[in-house]
Amino acid sequence: MEKKLRAALFDLDGVVFDTEPQYTVFWRTVCREFRPDIPGLENIIKGQTLVQIFDGYFHGMTAEQDEIVRQLDAYEQQMKYDYVPGFVEFIQALRANGVKTALVTSSNQPKMDSVFRARPQLRDYFDAVLIAEDFDESKPSPDCYLKAAARLEIGINNCAVFEDSINGLRSGRAAEMAVVGLATTNPADIVAQYSDRVIADFTGFTLDDCEEMLRQRLIDRS
């Protein structure tokens, strides 16, 4: 079995962009206004799509859902999209070495419109972009990562998933791919439970590190 990284699949928030603290602030405000009966809901919903959040915690609250969407659209248009340290250098090195890349995010099209307005060069970093509208099932289902690998025509044993949220990490695990967990959103010890490797950010992380992770993973599974 080939022990070589051929595709890198990246979540967006907390992986490409250091936006999770901003979303925590937004959802804390929203949840305290509309669901004060569930303390800490802003942490429970991390990594979920808007549809999942509404179905799970705002079901039947049509007026509240409309107001949340209005507030979220306005919020995302003025958010700061700062790259996680080392991301740009890392993904440029991957692409220079022939590794295919995909963005695999639970964000919807309006959110991505805001992202690409703020960072138009982001498109150049990925061979494929898959968003919420492309998936039949949301994270932690493996659907999104399996579809990304299929679109890139790369087998799961040659893919690495880069995630930060628990649902996202579980999605990568369920897809049976190598998982690099970023401790940007959750504590490193929690992230480690779902990851083959944990990093604080991409600073100093290399393609060689990825391929060593794949080799070790095959040894552990043999």
Side-chain angles (χ1 to χ4, degrees):
M1 187 181 297
E2 186 184 18
K3 303 180 288 292
K4 183 176 178 62
L5 181 69
R6 298 184 60 211
L9 315 178
F10 295 84
D11 180 41
L12 182 66
D13 295 296
V15 176
V16 175
F17 294 124
D18 186 21
T19 48
E20 281 299 334
Q22 297 175 79
Y23 277 114
T24 298
V25 170
F26 173 82
W27 283 108
R28 182 183 296 124
T29 301
V30 166
C31 293
R32 287 179 178 177
E33 179 179 357
F34 297 114
R35 291 305 310 262
D37 55 311
I38 310 180
L41 181 56
E42 68 273 10
N43 296 314
I44 297 171
I45 63 177
K46 284 185 184 295
Q48 296 186 17
T49 65
L50 194 57
V51 171
Q52 284 179 310
I53 294 170
F54 284 169
D55 286 349
Y57 303 98
F58 298 88
H59 183 70
M61 303 169 65
T62 304
E64 289 84 353
Q65 290 183 17
D66 290 345
E67 176 59 18
I68 292 169
V69 169
R70 186 194 68 77
Q71 291 185 22
L72 182 59
D73 286 345
Y75 189 79
E76 288 176 337
Q77 289 179 30
Q78 55 80 45
M79 279 176 58
K80 293 178 62 179
Y81 293 99
D82 295 329
Y83 289 112
V84 168
F87 166 77
V88 172
E89 294 79 5
F90 178 65
I91 199 166
Q92 287 176 338
L94 293 182
R95 293 176 66 77
N97 282 276
V99 177
K100 292 186 177 182
T101 56
L103 182 64
V104 187
T105 175
S106 299
S107 300
N108 59 19
Q109 190 61 60
K111 158 70 176 295
M112 293 310 300
D113 290 341
S114 295
V115 169
F116 288 129
R117 278 195 298 271
R119 294 287 188 179
Q121 74 276 21
L122 185 68
R123 296 181 187 274
D124 298 332
Y125 295 147
F126 297 103
D127 297 293
V129 175
L130 290 86
I131 63 176
E133 288 85 345
D134 295 313
F135 311 137
D136 297 319
E137 301 175 357
S138 299
K139 302 171 185 178
S141 165
D143 177 59
C144 59
Y145 285 114
L146 294 175
K147 283 186 174 176
R151 185 174 297 185
L152 296 178
E153 300 182 327
I154 302 295
I156 61 173
N157 292 313
N158 301 108
C159 293
V161 167
F162 295 82
E163 271 283 1
D164 65 308
S165 72
I166 302 304
N167 278 338
L169 295 163
R170 289 173 61 197
S171 176
R173 271 277 189 259
E176 300 185 8
M177 298 176 184
V179 178
V180 178
L182 280 90
T184 53
T185 303
N186 296 286
D189 60 332
I190 301 298
V191 173
Q193 298 176 29
Y194 306 92
S195 307
D196 296 289
R197 174 77 181 263
V198 180
I199 57 177
D201 55 39
F202 293 98
T203 304
F205 191 66
T206 66
L207 174 57
D208 287 342
D209 293 326
C210 290
E211 298 198 333
E212 175 58 33
M213 175 184 66
L214 291 183
R215 284 192 290 270
Q216 186 59 52
R217 188 166 180 268
L218 286 175
I219 292 172
D220 292 343
R221 295 172 67 187
S222 63

